[in-house]
Amino acid sequence: MTAGLSLLMSRSLIPMPRFLRSIRLALLLSVALAAGGNAQPRPRTDRYDDPLPPAAIARLGTLRLRGCRGPVVFSPDGKHLIAAGGDANTQAVFWDLATGRRVKALTSKETIQHLTFSPDGKQLAAVGAGGFFNPVWDAASGKELFTFKGNQVAFSDGGKKIVSSYGFGEKTTVRSYDTVAGKQRDEWTLEHPRGNDLSLSGDGRFAAIPDEGPNLRVFDLGKKVKVKELPVKLGRIQRGAFSRDGRRLVASGEKGWIAWDWASGKSLGTWSGRVNDVPFFSPDGRRLFWIGSEEEALSASLWVVELEGGRPRRIEVIGSKNWARLAAFAPDGKTMAVLTEGNAIALLDSQTGRDLLPFDGHAGQVQSISFTSDARYVLSGDSCRVLVWETATGRLLRRLPDDLPPGETVLLNTATHGRIATVQSADNTLRLRDLVTAKELRRLKGKDAFVAAAPWDVSAVSADGSCAAILSPTGVRVYDLDNGDIRCQFTTEHPIWGMDFSADGRTLVVTIQDFRKGLLTTFRDARTGRKRETPKDSIVRKRRGGWWPGSSDETKARLQRLKLLDKTGQPAFVGEDGFIANVVESPDGRYLAVKGRTGLPHVLDPTNKQYVRIWDATTRRLVMDLEDTRGMINLGGFAPDARTFLSTTYSSGTIHLWEIATGRERLRLQGHLGGDLRLAFRLDGRALLSGGTDTQVLLWDLTGRMPDGQWRSVRQPPDKLRAAWEALASDDAKAAYAAMWQLVADAEGSTTFLRERLRPVPRPKPGQVARLIATLDAEDFAARQRAMRALETLEESASAELRQTLKGKPTLEVRRRIEALLARLERVPAGEQLQALRAIEALEQIGTPEAQKILQTLADGDPGGRATQEAKASLRRLTKRAAP
């Protein structure tokens, strides 16, 4: 009986006659039986009922109105918003304005740079990056009607004609097309040095083009003549834009904007400041909107002005401040679409700035994600705020600073160990708050303790979360976060661009701007504030996930010690001029993943190659080699047990899980809309968080056994345990990974099963390795072969003595055989050895006392054996995890 049927039957609150109950039961059973054999399981969905990608447990945020890079246009009937997006921005995506749900997508051959509707809304024209294969679609069916050339387009003559322009060099070609026949009508050339910056009026009758001087020229395209030249005293002009009726014109420049009634040349208003893009007229042409900042302001705001006498005012928007540019107006002028730097669209009331279609989630790019220590909550941050989510339900619990008292904001760089520092703008009071509950933990002492006008968050927190450095008007203050006291303070005559603590928290690394020498790194004692000399030893604090600063001198020195850079500082693995882009270290320090590229750092050359390579830092053995021909692979970090490495693909937003032991792919996760990703494992390695430039945060099930986040154990029959055991030896890393989790799901049965099959690596008898090495030089060929086979069976147990022998002066025969043996020892594990390594990983995941007993038995094997080392590492992690 289905859950729905059970629920329906259980809700009978009014007594029924027996015959009615029988009829109802028969009807319900017939419905259930009819659906039982044919119904497919409903795909898992997020809280907005949009489907989740395979393997995703939850989406913290939304897909609605996301992945929109612009341009943006409203349909004339006001029911849909169309935005360019999709792969390489080649899709015109239709979004339902009432719900924000994606409706359909029309695909262009080129990256879409401009969209416009015919007046009746029946045709949609798109301009591509190349400008040669621009489609005109039937908006209802999506059918391509014809193509045209140009990099600007407008419908003219009531929609019967299309006017397009194509600027190249000092010539602009203007064409007209018949929209019914889909044929070109006319073509003529306009001589002008900045034809690429041409703007068309909505009806295609006029064009505005900035010249090389301080003027904006207006051309009548029908008469093919210049009709107006308007002076602009705002520095170099970016471009112009017409009002919907074509009567008004605005030009933005380096120092602001100016608007006119262009036919008469009458100025309608000017504004001085920085403008993010060309301002937009309201549909009636009476108001002007733009995103920009006044000359002394450091952050951009949304502005509006009533033309002809009004004063510019900020529109106070509650919520996201991650604005990128104003995108479009709805036909009624009441709704405006604003693009955020997270490729999301916010629909705002043009009068009040109220978000008309709010969603729980980020509007900007996700820049940080993490689980709390107990994994009950997820913390995600963008450039403006931190969101707190409940892991079990995916419910948004808190927005910081939105949920704080008015005027209080957060210092994002101080978020760690479940705490964050906040500042009250009214009096610069500093508080330490609990990240999950937002409750005040304590006040930080001192007045005027924060530079509110700093262009970014100039603060830092120590790795253990005990102290924070915060920029104040009088210099830098280092606070003890456990009691709120000021540890020390110091001043500097140069502007401070950034701060960070050393790994041990004793040194504060301060980046200052010297106006003659540029950016300089200085060092301060974190307890006294006194200057320190440049430390000789490693002090640079690794970022979360074991990241090293790729271009730092310290990173280069460490890579040189590992012989991954040559004496000149060039990447040895590249083999020619190149540079290191990123380095990430595994949690146990054993592996290093390095991303590098040939050529110079800031020179784009298609012949340059990019690499992602992983080394064993102990043996300097190359573990994995991923060639990145398109520069699309990014480092993603290591799993907590360092047995899995993550990489991401920029273009598609795909996450790849690689098995360190074999270098083969274990799992592939697809659900992001491309771009950079931030990744974080849950401590037990069974779940993964990913947050990206597409504003999404996805929670992934890596086991295949917890689709709703709850682990599912199952008793496995003996034949399935045997099948899983055999799969552990497979070359198919994906099948082996699934088999490992199958074993973990039956903790009791698997430990009994594995105890009977796993044996510790045998220890060589005293002097055995030395005797076998000596036999490699025996006169008897058969004896030499037997010694080779015996040494090979000892695996890593013999490697130390083999390498020591090579350092001496062995005979050519011995050297040749030892080098062959070492090469075999460093090969990808296979067969029984690989099977044992994967079984050890399963035992660590099981983690019961019985599983730990098996691991202890394996850890007592020969110290040089790889299985021995892996078992010891598993026990260390389990002990650390169990510690209070």
Side-chain angles (χ1 to χ4, degrees), residues 731-809:
D731 289 339
D732 185 345
K734 293 180 180 179
Y737 194 54
M740 185 199 76
W741 291 115
Q742 187 177 345
L743 290 171
V744 176
D746 183 3
E748 183 179 350
S750 294
T751 49
T752 302
F753 183 87
L754 294 175
R755 184 186 298 112
E756 299 172 355
R757 286 161 176 80
L758 291 173
R759 297 289 180 270
V761 178
R763 295 172 180 263
K765 296 177 181 178
Q768 180 184 4
V769 175
R771 288 193 297 273
L772 290 172
I773 291 175
T775 308
L776 292 178
D777 206 21
E779 293 184 3
D780 184 4
F781 175 78
R784 296 200 301 271
Q785 289 296 97
R786 286 194 297 273
M788 281 283 289
R789 287 193 295 271
L791 286 168
E792 189 172 354
T793 59
L794 291 174
E795 299 179 352
E796 292 91 346
S797 304
S799 61
E801 288 190 55
L802 289 171
R803 290 190 176 90
Q804 189 62 37
T805 303
L806 278 183
K807 291 180 180 179
K809 295 182 179 180

Side-chain angles (χ1 to χ4, degrees), residues 835-878:
Q835 194 174 37
L837 295 176
R838 289 167 170 168
I840 289 170
E841 185 174 359
L843 287 169
E844 181 179 344
Q845 280 293 334
I846 292 171
T848 61
E850 292 75 15
Q852 293 186 53
K853 288 179 182 178
I854 301 174
L855 289 172
Q856 186 60 63
T857 300
L858 298 175
D860 291 336
D862 183 78
R866 184 166 179 178
T868 305
Q869 297 168 3
E870 290 293 337
K872 289 180 178 178
S874 291
L875 287 171
R876 286 194 298 269
R877 283 188 289 268
L878 288 171

Side-chain angles (χ1 to χ4, degrees), residues 1-2 5 28-41:
M1 186 177 293
T2 65
L5 177 60
L28 292 174
L29 286 174
S30 64
V31 171
L33 290 172
N38 301 320
Q40 296 294 324

Side-chain angles (χ1 to χ4, degrees), residues 76-98:
D77 62 8
K79 294 182 179 180
H80 295 99
L81 180 144
I82 297 82
D87 187 22
N89 223 32
T90 57
Q91 292 184 335
V93 183
F94 283 63
W95 303 89
D96 181 78
L97 271 180

Side-chain angles (χ1 to χ4, degrees), residues 60 143 202 252 287 417 453 527 533 545 600 686 700 711 723 748 755 768:
L60 311 181
K143 178 183 177 182
S252 62
R287 292 178 294 162
H417 291 68
R527 289 194 172 273
E533 294 182 358
L600 299 174
R686 298 184 180 185
W700 302 93
W711 174 256
E748 183 179 350
R755 184 186 298 112
Q768 180 184 4

